[in-house]
C-alpha cells in the first residue's frame, strides 16, 4: 500500500488553512493508504519557542488532528522528536544538499527577512529535515498545502542525489498531493498573504478553537473590495476569491459551482451564509477538541503508541541508509 507522510508544526493554534489545505485531506486518506501524521516539534524549534507553550501546543495540535477526524487506529500519529531517526537522517542528507539549492527556498527568505546573517542554521536547514521526515518512512505521497510545493521539489532532488551518489534506487522520489478547493487559504485581512499561525492579527485567521460568535465576527470583519457583487477572480479580487474558495472547501463542492451560484451576491449576504457554514462545520471540531484536551493521559497514550509504530519503520530504513553509506554499526 502506498505510504503517506505529512506534518504540522505545534507553533500555535491550528487554523483554517492547516485544516482545509492539509488536515481535511489527511482524514480522507487515512483508510486508503498507510499514513503517518506527525506533529513536527523539531521544525517548530527553528524559531524560538517557550518550552511550556511548546508542550501545550503539541498536545493541542494532537487533539486538533483527532477532533478533525484522524483515528489512531487507522493511521500513525506521533510527535517527531520521539523518533530520533528524523534528526539522524537529516544529518546524513545535509551531506547531499548543495547550499545553492537551499538558497532558492522562498520560505527561508520570507522568514529570515533582511536579517539573514542572524537567521538560525536550523531555519535554513528546515527543508532538509522535512526531506528526512518523508524519506525515513519511504513515503511516496505527501499531502500538503500549496505553500509546501517548493520544499517537496527539493525533497525529490535530495532523494535523487543520494540514489545517484551510491547508484541505488533506495529512496522513492516523494510526490506532493495538493488537492481540495482551498489549497492556499489567504488571510482574512489581506487576500494576497497566506493565512498563517504567526500573523500578528488574530482577525487574519480562523482558529479551529474559535467559538461560534468569534467565527461569525471574524467573517463579518473580513476584508472585502469595493465592487458591488461577488465574482471569482483571484488576480483582481483576491479577497472575494478567498471567501468563495473557503466556502467551497467547507461545503466539499467545486469552487466553480460555488462561484456560479453566488456571482453578483453582495458581500454581507454571502458572509452570513459563510459564517453559518463555518459554524456548522467547525464547531463540532472545537467541541471534540475540548473533550480530548481534558484527557491528557489519552493524548500521551496516542503519541507514545504512534512513536513506537513509527520507530519500527524508521529504524529499518535508517539502518539500510547507513549500510549503503558504509557507516559501521547496526
Ligand atoms: N494558508 C494555508 N493554506 C493552505 N494550507 C496551509 N498550510 C499552512 N498554511 C496554509 C498547510 O498546513 C500544513 C501544516 O502547516 P505548518 O503548520 O507545518 O506550517 P506552516 O505552513 O508554516 O503554517 P503557518 O500557519 O504558516 O505557520 P507559521 O506562521 O508558524 O509559519 C502544511 O501542509 C501546509 O502546507
Amino acid at each position: 500500500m502506498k505510504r503517506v507522510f505529512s506534518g504540522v508544526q505545534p507553533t500555535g493554534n491550528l487554523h483554517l488553512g492547516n485544516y482545509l489545505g492539509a488536515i481535511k485531506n489527511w482524514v480522507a486518506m487515512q483508510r486508503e493508504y498507510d499514513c503517518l501524521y506527525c506533529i513536527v516539534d523539531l521544525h517548530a524549534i527553528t524559531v524560538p519557542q517557550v518550552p511550556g507553550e511548546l508542550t501545550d501546543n503539541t498536545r493541542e495540535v494532537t487533539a486538533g488532528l483527532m477532533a478533525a477526524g484522524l483515528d489512531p487506529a487507522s493511521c500513525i500519529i506521533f510527535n517527531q522528536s520521539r523518533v530520533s531517526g528524523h534528526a539522524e537522517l537529516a544529518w546524513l542528507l545535509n551531506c547531499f544538499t548543495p547550499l545553492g539549492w537551499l538558497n532558492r527556498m522562498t520560505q527561508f527568505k520570507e522568514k529570515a527577512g533582511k536579517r539573514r546573517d542572524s537567521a538560525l542554521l536550523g531555519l535554513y536547514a528546515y527543508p532538509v529535515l522535512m526531506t528526512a521526515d518523508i524519506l525515513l518512512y519511504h513515503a511516496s505521497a505527501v499531502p500538503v498545502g500549496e505553500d509546501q510545493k517548493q520544499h517537496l521539489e527539493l525533497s525529490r532532488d535530495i532523494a535523487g542525489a543520494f540514489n545517484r551518489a551510491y547508484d541505488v534506487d533506495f529512496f522513492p522520489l516523494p510526490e506532493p498531493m495538493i488537492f481540495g478547493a482551498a489549497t492556499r487559504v489567504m488571510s482574512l485581512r489581506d487576500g494576497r498573504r497566506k493565512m498563517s499561525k504567526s500573523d500578528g492579527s488574530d482577525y487574519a485567521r480562523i482558529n479551529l478553537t474559535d467559538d461560534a460568535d468569534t467565527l461569525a465576527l471574524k467573517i463579518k470583519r473580513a476584508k472585502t473590495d469595493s465592487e458591488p457583487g461577488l465574482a471569482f477572480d483571484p488576480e483582481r479580487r483576491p479577497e472575494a476569491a478567498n471567501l468563495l474558495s473557503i466556502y467551497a472547501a467547507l461545503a466539499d463542492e467545486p469552487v466553480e459551482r460555488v462561484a456560479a451560484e453566488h456571482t453578483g451576491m453582495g458581500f454581507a449576504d454571502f458572509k452570513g451564509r459563510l459564517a453559518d457554514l463555518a459554524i456548522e462545520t467547525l464547531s463540532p471540531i472545537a467541541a471534540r477538541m475540548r473533550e480530548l484536551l481534558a484527557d491528557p493521559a489519552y493524548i500521551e497514550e496516542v503519541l507514545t503508541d504512534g512513536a513506537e509504530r513509527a520507530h519500527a519503520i524508521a529504524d529499518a530504513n535508517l539502518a539500510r541508509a547507513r549500510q549503503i553509506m558504509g557507516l559501521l554499526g547496526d
Side-chain angles (χ1 to χ4, degrees):
M1 204 195 282
K2 202 173 195 165
R3 183 163 293 145
V4 169
F5 179 95
S6 200
V8 58
Q9 298 187 72
T11 39
N13 274 327
L14 290 175
H15 56 72
L16 192 64
N18 301 134
Y19 177 62
L20 296 178
I23 298 164
K24 193 169 189 273
N25 296 338
W26 299 1
V27 174
M29 297 169 83
Q30 67 180 327
R31 292 192 179 86
E32 258 178 79
Y33 301 97
D34 180 8
C35 298
L36 294 110
Y37 297 124
C38 188
I39 296 99
V40 287
D41 46 11
L42 296 177
H43 284 279
I45 59 169
T46 57
V47 295
Q49 299 292 330
V50 177
E53 286 176 14
L54 181 61
T55 308
D56 290 347
N57 286 336
T58 303
R59 293 197 182 110
E60 199 164 299
V61 168
T62 309
L65 297 182
M66 288 193 282
L70 287 186
D71 173 3
S74 303
C75 62
I76 296 178
I77 304 171
F78 69 109
N79 62 303
Q80 186 186 24
S81 61
R82 284 191 206 223
V83 181
S84 55
H86 289 259
E88 189 176 343
L89 184 59
W91 179 258
L92 303 184
L93 297 178
N94 276 335
C95 304
F96 297 87
T97 310
L99 295 187
W101 292 1
L102 291 176
N103 288 340
R104 290 204 301 265
M105 297 297 113
T106 53
Q107 182 174 293
F108 176 74
K109 287 184 201 159
E110 279 164 16
K111 290 203 172 182
K114 293 199 174 74
R115 304 164 57 119
R116 235 182 125 98
D117 281 352
S118 55
L120 302 177
L121 175 59
L123 187 65
Y124 187 62
Y126 182 115
V128 185
L129 178 59
M130 181 168 157
T131 304
D133 299 338
I134 302 162
L135 298 184
L136 189 59
Y137 302 99
H138 276 205
S140 54
V142 189
V144 285
E146 183 80 41
D147 58 313
Q148 291 300 327
K149 202 170 163 202
Q150 192 187 35
H151 285 166
L152 257 300
E153 279 157 15
L154 182 75
S155 298
R156 294 170 64 82
D157 289 342
I158 297 174
F162 181 98
N163 288 346
R164 274 193 308 281
Y166 298 104
D167 195 19
V168 290
D169 190 13
F170 180 60
F171 286 128
L173 306 190
E175 286 280 354
M177 297 181 87
I178 300 173
F179 60 97
T183 55
R184 190 173 177 84
V185 178
M186 308 310 277
S187 154
L188 297 183
R189 309 300 299 163
D190 177 353
R192 297 195 189 276
R193 285 160 55 101
K194 86 165 181 146
M195 185 178 284
S196 135
K197 297 191 200 90
S198 53
D199 197 309
S201 163
D202 199 50
Y203 279 91
R205 71 185 151 257
I206 288 175
N207 302 310
L208 290 193
T209 46
D210 286 342
D211 60 26
D213 289 347
T214 310
L215 277 175
L217 186 63
K218 284 181 175 176
I219 292 173
K220 192 170 168 198
R221 287 207 187 160
K223 188 177 170 206
T224 52
D225 55 45
S226 53
E227 300 204 22
L230 277 167
F232 187 74
D233 184 349
E235 265 309 302
R236 221 172 47 79
R237 303 187 58 192
E239 283 83 17
N242 190 36
L243 295 179
L244 286 164
S245 302
I246 291 174
Y247 188 103
L250 287 172
D252 259 331
E253 283 183 29
V255 69
E256 296 76 14
R257 189 189 306 159
V258 170
E261 278 168 10
H262 297 92
T263 296
M265 182 184 264
F267 274 108
D269 287 345
F270 181 71
K271 283 178 167 181
R273 285 194 189 188
L274 179 58
D276 289 345
L277 177 63
I279 292 166
E280 185 189 314
T281 322
L282 303 178
S283 293
I285 299 180
R288 178 74 188 125
M289 215 170 144
R290 278 192 295 275
E291 280 170 21
L292 287 162
L293 280 169
D295 189 356
Y298 174 60
I299 293 180
E300 179 57 27
E301 193 184 307
V302 168
L303 292 175
T304 319
D305 175 65
E308 234 169 74
R309 289 153 69 200
H311 248 297
I313 309 168
D315 291 354
N317 287 332
L318 190 58
R320 180 76 187 113
R322 291 169 49 96
Q323 211 176 42
I324 291 171
M325 295 175 72
L327 297 166
L328 278 179
D330 41 42

